[in-house]
Amino acid sequence: DFLYPQGTAAGTHGTQIRSLLLPGAAIIIAIRRDDKLVVPYGDSVLEGDDRLDLLVERKRLGELQAGREIAAR
């Protein structure tokens, strides 16, 4: 799971996932929202308490863990 901290650019309500700048070949495989799994599409919009399930290369995992932020374009 990856939880966007409140107040980051990507964590704000209304950001489309296609706008996220993910490291390497990271892929969003699911959005966890209110105890439900949502299949992500490019035009899927993040909500405040969303959690993202990501598939990411092990060598790039540190980039996510270090800052816990992913920028939006």
Short mmCIF file of all heavy atoms in Angstrom, two decimals:
data_model
loop_
_atom_site.label_atom_id
_atom_site.label_comp_id
_atom_site.label_asym_id
_atom_site.label_seq_id
_atom_site.Cartn_x
_atom_site.Cartn_y
_atom_site.Cartn_z
N ASP A 1 0.84 -1.19 0.00
CA ASP A 1 0.00 0.00 0.00
C ASP A 1 0.88 1.24 0.00
O ASP A 1 1.93 1.28 0.61
CB ASP A 1 -0.83 0.07 1.27
CG ASP A 1 -2.13 -0.70 1.18
OD1 ASP A 1 -2.35 -1.37 0.17
OD2 ASP A 1 -2.91 -0.59 2.12
N PHE A 2 0.40 2.25 -0.63
CA PHE A 2 1.05 3.56 -0.60
C PHE A 2 -0.02 4.58 -0.28
O PHE A 2 -1.01 4.68 -0.99
CB PHE A 2 1.71 3.89 -1.94
CG PHE A 2 2.49 5.14 -1.89
CD1 PHE A 2 3.79 5.14 -1.42
CD2 PHE A 2 1.93 6.34 -2.27
CE1 PHE A 2 4.52 6.31 -1.35
CE2 PHE A 2 2.65 7.51 -2.20
CZ PHE A 2 3.95 7.49 -1.74
N LEU A 3 0.14 5.29 0.81
CA LEU A 3 -0.84 6.30 1.22
C LEU A 3 -0.24 7.67 1.00
O LEU A 3 0.83 7.98 1.48
CB LEU A 3 -1.19 6.13 2.71
CG LEU A 3 -2.12 7.16 3.32
CD1 LEU A 3 -3.50 7.08 2.66
CD2 LEU A 3 -2.24 6.94 4.81
N TYR A 4 -0.94 8.49 0.21
CA TYR A 4 -0.47 9.84 -0.01
C TYR A 4 -0.67 10.67 1.24
O TYR A 4 -1.76 10.69 1.80
CB TYR A 4 -1.23 10.52 -1.15
CG TYR A 4 -0.79 10.05 -2.49
CD1 TYR A 4 -1.65 9.36 -3.31
CD2 TYR A 4 0.50 10.29 -2.92
CE1 TYR A 4 -1.24 8.92 -4.55
CE2 TYR A 4 0.92 9.86 -4.16
CZ TYR A 4 0.04 9.18 -4.96
OH TYR A 4 0.45 8.75 -6.18
N PRO A 5 0.37 11.38 1.70
CA PRO A 5 0.20 12.28 2.82
C PRO A 5 -0.74 13.42 2.43
O PRO A 5 -0.71 13.88 1.30
CB PRO A 5 1.61 12.82 3.09
CG PRO A 5 2.52 11.98 2.28
CD PRO A 5 1.72 11.35 1.19
N GLN A 6 -1.57 13.86 3.34
CA GLN A 6 -2.46 14.99 3.07
C GLN A 6 -1.62 16.21 2.75
O GLN A 6 -0.59 16.44 3.35
CB GLN A 6 -3.34 15.28 4.29
CG GLN A 6 -4.37 14.21 4.55
CD GLN A 6 -5.43 14.15 3.47
OE1 GLN A 6 -5.59 15.07 2.69
NE2 GLN A 6 -6.16 13.06 3.41
N GLY A 7 -2.06 16.98 1.78
CA GLY A 7 -1.38 18.22 1.46
C GLY A 7 -0.32 18.11 0.38
O GLY A 7 0.20 19.11 -0.07
N THR A 8 0.02 16.88 -0.07
CA THR A 8 0.98 16.78 -1.17
C THR A 8 0.23 17.00 -2.47
O THR A 8 -0.98 16.84 -2.54
CB THR A 8 1.65 15.39 -1.21
OG1 THR A 8 0.64 14.42 -1.46
CG2 THR A 8 2.38 15.08 0.06
N ALA A 9 0.94 17.36 -3.50
CA ALA A 9 0.29 17.64 -4.78
C ALA A 9 -0.52 16.46 -5.28
O ALA A 9 -1.64 16.60 -5.73
CB ALA A 9 1.35 18.03 -5.82
N ALA A 10 0.04 15.27 -5.18
CA ALA A 10 -0.65 14.10 -5.70
C ALA A 10 -1.77 13.64 -4.79
O ALA A 10 -2.67 12.94 -5.21
CB ALA A 10 0.34 12.96 -5.90
N GLY A 11 -1.70 14.01 -3.51
CA GLY A 11 -2.69 13.54 -2.57
C GLY A 11 -3.94 14.40 -2.50
O GLY A 11 -4.86 14.06 -1.79
N THR A 12 -3.97 15.49 -3.22
CA THR A 12 -5.13 16.35 -3.16
C THR A 12 -6.30 15.74 -3.90
O THR A 12 -6.13 15.04 -4.90
CB THR A 12 -4.84 17.75 -3.73
OG1 THR A 12 -4.36 17.63 -5.06
CG2 THR A 12 -3.83 18.49 -2.87
N HIS A 13 -7.46 15.99 -3.42
CA HIS A 13 -8.68 15.47 -4.01
C HIS A 13 -8.79 15.95 -5.46
O HIS A 13 -8.60 17.12 -5.75
CB HIS A 13 -9.88 15.97 -3.19
CG HIS A 13 -11.19 15.47 -3.68
ND1 HIS A 13 -11.61 14.20 -3.38
CD2 HIS A 13 -12.15 16.03 -4.43
CE1 HIS A 13 -12.80 14.02 -3.93
NE2 HIS A 13 -13.14 15.12 -4.57
N GLY A 14 -9.05 15.02 -6.37
CA GLY A 14 -9.28 15.40 -7.75
C GLY A 14 -8.12 15.17 -8.71
O GLY A 14 -8.24 15.45 -9.89
N THR A 15 -7.00 14.63 -8.26
CA THR A 15 -5.86 14.38 -9.14
C THR A 15 -6.08 13.10 -9.93
O THR A 15 -6.37 12.05 -9.36
CB THR A 15 -4.56 14.26 -8.33
OG1 THR A 15 -4.34 15.46 -7.61
CG2 THR A 15 -3.36 13.98 -9.22
N GLN A 16 -5.96 13.17 -11.25
CA GLN A 16 -6.06 11.96 -12.07
C GLN A 16 -4.76 11.18 -11.97
O GLN A 16 -3.67 11.77 -11.95
CB GLN A 16 -6.32 12.31 -13.53
CG GLN A 16 -7.70 12.82 -13.81
CD GLN A 16 -7.94 13.00 -15.29
OE1 GLN A 16 -7.01 13.16 -16.07
NE2 GLN A 16 -9.20 12.98 -15.68
N ILE A 17 -4.86 9.85 -11.94
CA ILE A 17 -3.64 9.06 -11.78
C ILE A 17 -2.71 9.17 -12.98
O ILE A 17 -1.52 8.96 -12.85
CB ILE A 17 -3.92 7.59 -11.42
CG1 ILE A 17 -4.69 6.88 -12.52
CG2 ILE A 17 -4.63 7.49 -10.09
CD1 ILE A 17 -4.79 5.38 -12.29
N ARG A 18 -3.23 9.53 -14.15
CA ARG A 18 -2.34 9.71 -15.30
C ARG A 18 -1.39 10.89 -15.09
O ARG A 18 -0.39 11.02 -15.77
CB ARG A 18 -3.12 9.87 -16.60
CG ARG A 18 -3.78 11.21 -16.78
CD ARG A 18 -4.28 11.42 -18.20
NE ARG A 18 -4.95 10.27 -18.73
CZ ARG A 18 -6.23 10.21 -19.08
NH1 ARG A 18 -6.98 11.28 -19.00
NH2 ARG A 18 -6.76 9.11 -19.53
N SER A 19 -1.69 11.75 -14.13
CA SER A 19 -0.85 12.92 -13.85
C SER A 19 0.28 12.62 -12.88
O SER A 19 1.12 13.47 -12.64
CB SER A 19 -1.71 14.04 -13.25
OG SER A 19 -2.70 14.43 -14.16
N LEU A 20 0.31 11.42 -12.32
CA LEU A 20 1.33 11.08 -11.33
C LEU A 20 2.65 10.76 -12.00
O LEU A 20 2.69 10.13 -13.06
CB LEU A 20 0.88 9.88 -10.50
CG LEU A 20 -0.42 10.04 -9.72
CD1 LEU A 20 -0.72 8.74 -8.99
CD2 LEU A 20 -0.35 11.20 -8.77
N LEU A 21 3.72 11.21 -11.40
CA LEU A 21 5.07 10.90 -11.87
C LEU A 21 5.62 9.78 -10.99
O LEU A 21 6.14 10.02 -9.92
CB LEU A 21 5.96 12.14 -11.79
CG LEU A 21 5.49 13.33 -12.63
CD1 LEU A 21 6.36 14.55 -12.35
CD2 LEU A 21 5.51 12.98 -14.10
N LEU A 22 5.46 8.55 -11.47
CA LEU A 22 5.90 7.39 -10.70
C LEU A 22 7.33 7.04 -11.09
O LEU A 22 7.73 7.23 -12.23
CB LEU A 22 4.99 6.20 -11.00
CG LEU A 22 3.53 6.37 -10.59
CD1 LEU A 22 2.71 5.21 -11.14
CD2 LEU A 22 3.39 6.46 -9.09
N PRO A 23 8.11 6.49 -10.15
CA PRO A 23 9.49 6.12 -10.47
C PRO A 23 9.54 4.89 -11.36
O PRO A 23 8.74 3.97 -11.23
CB PRO A 23 10.10 5.82 -9.09
CG PRO A 23 8.95 5.41 -8.26
CD PRO A 23 7.77 6.21 -8.76
N GLY A 24 10.49 4.89 -12.29
CA GLY A 24 10.75 3.72 -13.10
C GLY A 24 9.51 3.18 -13.80
O GLY A 24 8.72 3.92 -14.36
N ALA A 25 9.37 1.89 -13.73
CA ALA A 25 8.26 1.21 -14.38
C ALA A 25 7.16 0.87 -13.37
O ALA A 25 6.52 -0.16 -13.46
CB ALA A 25 8.76 -0.05 -15.06
N ALA A 26 6.93 1.73 -12.40
CA ALA A 26 5.89 1.48 -11.40
C ALA A 26 4.52 1.50 -12.05
O ALA A 26 4.24 2.31 -12.93
CB ALA A 26 5.96 2.54 -10.29
N ILE A 27 3.67 0.59 -11.60
CA ILE A 27 2.32 0.47 -12.13
C ILE A 27 1.34 0.47 -10.97
O ILE A 27 1.54 -0.25 -9.99
CB ILE A 27 2.16 -0.84 -12.93
CG1 ILE A 27 3.11 -0.87 -14.11
CG2 ILE A 27 0.72 -1.02 -13.39
CD1 ILE A 27 3.19 -2.22 -14.78
N ILE A 28 0.29 1.25 -11.07
CA ILE A 28 -0.78 1.23 -10.07
C ILE A 28 -1.69 0.07 -10.42
O ILE A 28 -2.28 0.04 -11.51
CB ILE A 28 -1.57 2.55 -10.05
CG1 ILE A 28 -0.64 3.72 -9.73
CG2 ILE A 28 -2.72 2.47 -9.05
CD1 ILE A 28 -1.28 5.08 -9.91
N ILE A 29 -1.80 -0.92 -9.53
CA ILE A 29 -2.62 -2.08 -9.83
C ILE A 29 -3.99 -2.03 -9.18
O ILE A 29 -4.90 -2.73 -9.60
CB ILE A 29 -1.89 -3.40 -9.49
CG1 ILE A 29 -1.49 -3.43 -8.02
CG2 ILE A 29 -0.68 -3.58 -10.39
CD1 ILE A 29 -0.91 -4.77 -7.58
N ALA A 30 -4.15 -1.21 -8.15
CA ALA A 30 -5.45 -1.07 -7.50
C ALA A 30 -5.49 0.21 -6.67
O ALA A 30 -4.47 0.68 -6.19
CB ALA A 30 -5.75 -2.27 -6.61
N ILE A 31 -6.68 0.75 -6.52
CA ILE A 31 -6.94 1.85 -5.59
C ILE A 31 -7.82 1.28 -4.50
O ILE A 31 -8.86 0.69 -4.78
CB ILE A 31 -7.67 3.02 -6.29
CG1 ILE A 31 -6.85 3.56 -7.46
CG2 ILE A 31 -7.98 4.13 -5.28
CD1 ILE A 31 -7.60 4.54 -8.34
N ARG A 32 -7.39 1.41 -3.26
CA ARG A 32 -8.21 0.97 -2.12
C ARG A 32 -8.96 2.19 -1.60
O ARG A 32 -8.35 3.16 -1.18
CB ARG A 32 -7.35 0.36 -1.03
CG ARG A 32 -6.71 -0.93 -1.47
CD ARG A 32 -5.85 -1.51 -0.36
NE ARG A 32 -5.15 -2.67 -0.83
CZ ARG A 32 -5.56 -3.92 -0.62
NH1 ARG A 32 -6.67 -4.14 0.07
NH2 ARG A 32 -4.87 -4.93 -1.09
N ARG A 33 -10.29 2.11 -1.65
CA ARG A 33 -11.12 3.24 -1.27
C ARG A 33 -12.31 2.73 -0.46
O ARG A 33 -13.09 1.92 -0.94
CB ARG A 33 -11.61 3.95 -2.53
CG ARG A 33 -12.52 5.12 -2.30
CD ARG A 33 -12.93 5.78 -3.60
NE ARG A 33 -11.76 6.37 -4.25
CZ ARG A 33 -11.64 6.50 -5.57
NH1 ARG A 33 -12.60 6.10 -6.38
NH2 ARG A 33 -10.56 7.05 -6.08
N ASP A 34 -12.42 3.20 0.78
CA ASP A 34 -13.56 2.82 1.64
C ASP A 34 -13.79 1.32 1.66
O ASP A 34 -14.90 0.85 1.40
CB ASP A 34 -14.84 3.54 1.17
CG ASP A 34 -14.72 5.04 1.25
OD1 ASP A 34 -14.05 5.54 2.18
OD2 ASP A 34 -15.28 5.73 0.37
N ASP A 35 -12.76 0.54 1.95
CA ASP A 35 -12.84 -0.92 2.03
C ASP A 35 -13.25 -1.59 0.73
O ASP A 35 -13.76 -2.70 0.72
CB ASP A 35 -13.80 -1.35 3.16
CG ASP A 35 -13.33 -0.89 4.52
OD1 ASP A 35 -12.10 -0.90 4.75
OD2 ASP A 35 -14.17 -0.51 5.34
N LYS A 36 -13.02 -0.92 -0.40
CA LYS A 36 -13.30 -1.48 -1.72
C LYS A 36 -12.04 -1.39 -2.56
O LYS A 36 -11.18 -0.55 -2.33
CB LYS A 36 -14.41 -0.70 -2.42
CG LYS A 36 -15.73 -0.76 -1.74
CD LYS A 36 -16.74 0.09 -2.47
CE LYS A 36 -17.99 0.22 -1.61
NZ LYS A 36 -18.78 1.38 -1.95
N LEU A 37 -11.92 -2.28 -3.53
CA LEU A 37 -10.84 -2.20 -4.51
C LEU A 37 -11.41 -1.59 -5.78
O LEU A 37 -12.42 -2.04 -6.29
CB LEU A 37 -10.28 -3.58 -4.84
CG LEU A 37 -9.32 -4.17 -3.82
CD1 LEU A 37 -8.86 -5.55 -4.28
CD2 LEU A 37 -8.13 -3.28 -3.59
N VAL A 38 -10.75 -0.56 -6.28
CA VAL A 38 -11.15 0.11 -7.51
C VAL A 38 -10.08 -0.16 -8.56
O VAL A 38 -8.89 0.02 -8.30
CB VAL A 38 -11.29 1.64 -7.28
CG1 VAL A 38 -11.64 2.36 -8.55
CG2 VAL A 38 -12.32 1.92 -6.18
N VAL A 39 -10.50 -0.61 -9.74
CA VAL A 39 -9.57 -0.83 -10.84
C VAL A 39 -9.16 0.54 -11.39
O VAL A 39 -10.02 1.33 -11.75
CB VAL A 39 -10.20 -1.68 -11.95
CG1 VAL A 39 -9.26 -1.83 -13.13
CG2 VAL A 39 -10.61 -3.04 -11.40
N PRO A 40 -7.85 0.83 -11.42
CA PRO A 40 -7.40 2.14 -11.87
C PRO A 40 -7.33 2.26 -13.40
O PRO A 40 -6.94 1.32 -14.09
CB PRO A 40 -6.01 2.26 -11.28
CG PRO A 40 -5.52 0.85 -11.20
CD PRO A 40 -6.74 0.01 -10.95
N TYR A 41 -7.74 3.40 -13.90
CA TYR A 41 -7.59 3.78 -15.29
C TYR A 41 -6.90 5.14 -15.30
O TYR A 41 -6.84 5.81 -14.28
CB TYR A 41 -8.96 3.87 -15.98
CG TYR A 41 -9.66 2.55 -16.04
CD1 TYR A 41 -10.60 2.19 -15.09
CD2 TYR A 41 -9.37 1.64 -17.06
CE1 TYR A 41 -11.24 0.97 -15.14
CE2 TYR A 41 -10.02 0.41 -17.12
CZ TYR A 41 -10.95 0.08 -16.15
OH TYR A 41 -11.57 -1.14 -16.20
N GLY A 42 -6.41 5.58 -16.43
CA GLY A 42 -5.71 6.85 -16.52
C GLY A 42 -6.53 8.03 -16.04
O GLY A 42 -6.01 8.99 -15.48
N ASP A 43 -7.85 7.95 -16.24
CA ASP A 43 -8.70 9.06 -15.82
C ASP A 43 -9.30 8.87 -14.43
O ASP A 43 -10.12 9.67 -13.99
CB ASP A 43 -9.80 9.32 -16.85
CG ASP A 43 -10.74 8.13 -17.04
OD1 ASP A 43 -10.45 7.04 -16.52
OD2 ASP A 43 -11.76 8.30 -17.73
N SER A 44 -8.87 7.80 -13.71
CA SER A 44 -9.32 7.62 -12.33
C SER A 44 -8.84 8.79 -11.49
O SER A 44 -7.70 9.24 -11.64
CB SER A 44 -8.78 6.31 -11.75
OG SER A 44 -9.26 5.20 -12.45
N VAL A 45 -9.68 9.26 -10.61
CA VAL A 45 -9.37 10.43 -9.79
C VAL A 45 -9.17 10.00 -8.34
O VAL A 45 -9.98 9.27 -7.78
CB VAL A 45 -10.53 11.47 -9.88
CG1 VAL A 45 -10.27 12.65 -8.96
CG2 VAL A 45 -10.70 11.93 -11.32
N LEU A 46 -8.07 10.47 -7.75
CA LEU A 46 -7.77 10.14 -6.36
C LEU A 46 -8.67 10.92 -5.41
O LEU A 46 -9.02 12.07 -5.67
CB LEU A 46 -6.31 10.46 -6.03
CG LEU A 46 -5.28 9.60 -6.74
CD1 LEU A 46 -3.88 10.11 -6.41
CD2 LEU A 46 -5.43 8.15 -6.36
N GLU A 47 -9.01 10.26 -4.31
CA GLU A 47 -9.76 10.91 -3.24
C GLU A 47 -8.89 10.93 -1.99
O GLU A 47 -7.88 10.23 -1.92
CB GLU A 47 -11.07 10.16 -2.99
CG GLU A 47 -12.00 10.22 -4.19
CD GLU A 47 -13.31 9.49 -3.98
OE1 GLU A 47 -13.56 9.00 -2.86
OE2 GLU A 47 -14.06 9.39 -4.96
N GLY A 48 -9.28 11.71 -1.01
CA GLY A 48 -8.46 12.00 0.16
C GLY A 48 -7.83 10.84 0.89
O GLY A 48 -6.67 10.88 1.23
N ASP A 49 -8.57 9.76 1.12
CA ASP A 49 -8.04 8.64 1.91
C ASP A 49 -7.69 7.43 1.07
O ASP A 49 -7.58 6.32 1.59
CB ASP A 49 -9.06 8.24 2.98
CG ASP A 49 -9.22 9.32 4.04
OD1 ASP A 49 -8.24 10.02 4.32
OD2 ASP A 49 -10.33 9.46 4.57
N ASP A 50 -7.50 7.61 -0.23
CA ASP A 50 -7.16 6.49 -1.10
C ASP A 50 -5.80 5.90 -0.74
O ASP A 50 -4.88 6.61 -0.33
CB ASP A 50 -7.10 6.94 -2.57
CG ASP A 50 -8.47 7.10 -3.19
OD1 ASP A 50 -9.47 6.77 -2.53
OD2 ASP A 50 -8.53 7.55 -4.33
N ARG A 51 -5.71 4.60 -0.92
CA ARG A 51 -4.43 3.89 -0.82
C ARG A 51 -4.20 3.26 -2.18
O ARG A 51 -5.12 2.74 -2.79
CB ARG A 51 -4.45 2.80 0.25
CG ARG A 51 -4.45 3.34 1.65
CD ARG A 51 -4.39 2.19 2.65
NE ARG A 51 -4.27 2.70 3.99
CZ ARG A 51 -3.11 2.90 4.60
NH1 ARG A 51 -1.98 2.64 3.99
NH2 ARG A 51 -3.08 3.38 5.82
N LEU A 52 -2.96 3.32 -2.64
CA LEU A 52 -2.62 2.75 -3.93
C LEU A 52 -1.80 1.49 -3.75
O LEU A 52 -0.86 1.47 -2.96
CB LEU A 52 -1.81 3.75 -4.76
CG LEU A 52 -2.45 5.10 -5.03
CD1 LEU A 52 -1.51 5.96 -5.87
CD2 LEU A 52 -3.79 4.94 -5.73
N ASP A 53 -2.16 0.44 -4.47
CA ASP A 53 -1.34 -0.76 -4.55
C ASP A 53 -0.49 -0.62 -5.80
O ASP A 53 -1.03 -0.48 -6.91
CB ASP A 53 -2.19 -2.02 -4.62
CG ASP A 53 -2.88 -2.33 -3.30
OD1 ASP A 53 -2.47 -1.77 -2.27
OD2 ASP A 53 -3.83 -3.13 -3.31
N LEU A 54 0.83 -0.62 -5.61
CA LEU A 54 1.76 -0.41 -6.72
C LEU A 54 2.59 -1.65 -6.97
O LEU A 54 2.96 -2.37 -6.04
CB LEU A 54 2.72 0.74 -6.40
CG LEU A 54 2.13 2.10 -6.10
CD1 LEU A 54 3.23 3.07 -5.71
CD2 LEU A 54 1.35 2.62 -7.28
N LEU A 55 2.89 -1.87 -8.23
CA LEU A 55 3.88 -2.86 -8.63
C LEU A 55 5.09 -2.06 -9.06
O LEU A 55 5.00 -1.21 -9.95
CB LEU A 55 3.34 -3.70 -9.78
CG LEU A 55 4.23 -4.81 -10.31
CD1 LEU A 55 4.49 -5.83 -9.21
CD2 LEU A 55 3.56 -5.46 -11.51
N VAL A 56 6.22 -2.28 -8.38
CA VAL A 56 7.41 -1.47 -8.64
C VAL A 56 8.65 -2.35 -8.54
O VAL A 56 8.68 -3.31 -7.76
CB VAL A 56 7.49 -0.27 -7.67
CG1 VAL A 56 7.64 -0.71 -6.23
CG2 VAL A 56 8.58 0.69 -8.06
N GLU A 57 9.65 -2.04 -9.34
CA GLU A 57 10.91 -2.77 -9.26
C GLU A 57 11.51 -2.60 -7.87
O GLU A 57 11.49 -1.51 -7.31
CB GLU A 57 11.90 -2.22 -10.29
CG GLU A 57 11.48 -2.38 -11.72
CD GLU A 57 12.44 -1.68 -12.65
OE1 GLU A 57 12.45 -0.44 -12.65
OE2 GLU A 57 13.17 -2.39 -13.35
N ARG A 58 12.04 -3.70 -7.36
CA ARG A 58 12.62 -3.67 -6.01
C ARG A 58 13.68 -2.57 -5.88
O ARG A 58 13.72 -1.86 -4.88
CB ARG A 58 13.23 -5.01 -5.65
CG ARG A 58 13.75 -5.08 -4.23
CD ARG A 58 14.24 -6.48 -3.89
NE ARG A 58 13.20 -7.47 -3.97
CZ ARG A 58 12.40 -7.80 -2.96
NH1 ARG A 58 12.54 -7.22 -1.80
NH2 ARG A 58 11.47 -8.71 -3.11
N LYS A 59 14.51 -2.39 -6.91
CA LYS A 59 15.57 -1.39 -6.83
C LYS A 59 15.01 0.04 -6.80
O LYS A 59 15.71 0.97 -6.43
CB LYS A 59 16.56 -1.56 -7.98
CG LYS A 59 15.98 -1.32 -9.34
CD LYS A 59 17.01 -1.58 -10.43
CE LYS A 59 16.39 -1.41 -11.80
NZ LYS A 59 17.33 -1.73 -12.86
N ARG A 60 13.76 0.25 -7.19
CA ARG A 60 13.14 1.57 -7.18
C ARG A 60 12.25 1.80 -5.97
O ARG A 60 11.73 2.88 -5.77
CB ARG A 60 12.29 1.77 -8.44
CG ARG A 60 13.08 1.78 -9.73
CD ARG A 60 13.89 3.06 -9.79
NE ARG A 60 14.53 3.27 -11.05
CZ ARG A 60 14.19 4.21 -11.92
NH1 ARG A 60 13.20 5.01 -11.68
NH2 ARG A 60 14.87 4.34 -13.02
N LEU A 61 12.05 0.77 -5.16
CA LEU A 61 11.17 0.87 -4.00
C LEU A 61 11.63 1.96 -3.04
O LEU A 61 10.82 2.68 -2.47
CB LEU A 61 11.08 -0.47 -3.29
CG LEU A 61 10.09 -0.60 -2.16
CD1 LEU A 61 8.68 -0.29 -2.65
CD2 LEU A 61 10.15 -1.99 -1.56
N GLY A 62 12.93 2.12 -2.88
CA GLY A 62 13.48 3.13 -1.99
C GLY A 62 13.05 4.54 -2.35
O GLY A 62 12.90 5.39 -1.48
N GLU A 63 12.84 4.80 -3.65
CA GLU A 63 12.40 6.13 -4.07
C GLU A 63 11.03 6.46 -3.51
O GLU A 63 10.76 7.60 -3.16
CB GLU A 63 12.37 6.21 -5.60
CG GLU A 63 13.73 6.12 -6.24
CD GLU A 63 13.65 6.08 -7.75
OE1 GLU A 63 12.78 6.76 -8.32
OE2 GLU A 63 14.46 5.36 -8.36
N LEU A 64 10.16 5.45 -3.43
CA LEU A 64 8.83 5.68 -2.86
C LEU A 64 8.90 5.80 -1.34
O LEU A 64 8.26 6.65 -0.74
CB LEU A 64 7.89 4.52 -3.22
CG LEU A 64 7.46 4.43 -4.66
CD1 LEU A 64 6.64 3.16 -4.87
CD2 LEU A 64 6.66 5.64 -5.06
N GLN A 65 9.69 4.94 -0.72
CA GLN A 65 9.76 4.93 0.73
C GLN A 65 10.47 6.14 1.30
O GLN A 65 10.15 6.59 2.38
CB GLN A 65 10.45 3.65 1.21
CG GLN A 65 9.65 2.41 0.91
CD GLN A 65 10.41 1.13 1.20
OE1 GLN A 65 11.65 1.09 1.10
NE2 GLN A 65 9.69 0.10 1.55
N ALA A 66 11.42 6.69 0.56
CA ALA A 66 12.21 7.81 1.06
C ALA A 66 11.37 9.05 1.31
O ALA A 66 11.38 9.62 2.39
CB ALA A 66 13.35 8.12 0.09
N GLY A 67 10.63 9.48 0.31
CA GLY A 67 9.88 10.71 0.45
C GLY A 67 8.41 10.50 0.71
O GLY A 67 7.73 11.39 1.19
N ARG A 68 7.90 9.31 0.40
CA ARG A 68 6.48 9.00 0.56
C ARG A 68 5.61 9.99 -0.21
O ARG A 68 4.46 10.20 0.11
CB ARG A 68 6.05 8.94 2.01
CG ARG A 68 6.76 7.92 2.84
CD ARG A 68 6.43 6.54 2.40
NE ARG A 68 5.20 6.07 3.00
CZ ARG A 68 4.65 4.91 2.77
NH1 ARG A 68 5.21 4.10 1.92
NH2 ARG A 68 3.54 4.54 3.35
N GLU A 69 6.18 10.64 -1.21
CA GLU A 69 5.43 11.56 -2.05
C GLU A 69 5.70 11.25 -3.51
O GLU A 69 6.82 10.94 -3.88
CB GLU A 69 5.82 13.02 -1.79
CG GLU A 69 5.47 13.52 -0.42
CD GLU A 69 5.81 14.98 -0.26
OE1 GLU A 69 5.96 15.68 -1.26
OE2 GLU A 69 5.95 15.42 0.89
N ILE A 70 4.67 11.36 -4.31
CA ILE A 70 4.81 11.24 -5.75
C ILE A 70 4.23 12.52 -6.33
O ILE A 70 3.14 12.93 -5.98
CB ILE A 70 4.06 10.02 -6.29
CG1 ILE A 70 4.64 8.73 -5.71
CG2 ILE A 70 4.11 9.98 -7.81
CD1 ILE A 70 3.88 7.49 -6.09
N ALA A 71 4.99 13.16 -7.18
CA ALA A 71 4.56 14.44 -7.73
C ALA A 71 3.52 14.25 -8.82
O ALA A 71 3.44 13.21 -9.45
CB ALA A 71 5.75 15.19 -8.28
N ALA A 72 2.73 15.28 -9.03
CA ALA A 72 1.78 15.32 -10.14
C ALA A 72 2.33 16.28 -11.20
O ALA A 72 3.00 17.24 -10.88
CB ALA A 72 0.41 15.79 -9.66
N ARG A 73 2.04 15.97 -12.48
CA ARG A 73 2.47 16.85 -13.57
C ARG A 73 1.70 18.12 -13.56
O ARG A 73 0.57 18.21 -13.27
CB ARG A 73 2.25 16.17 -14.91
CG ARG A 73 3.19 15.07 -15.17
CD ARG A 73 2.93 14.50 -16.53
NE ARG A 73 3.08 13.07 -16.37
CZ ARG A 73 2.92 12.19 -17.30
NH1 ARG A 73 2.53 12.56 -18.48
NH2 ARG A 73 3.10 10.93 -17.08
#
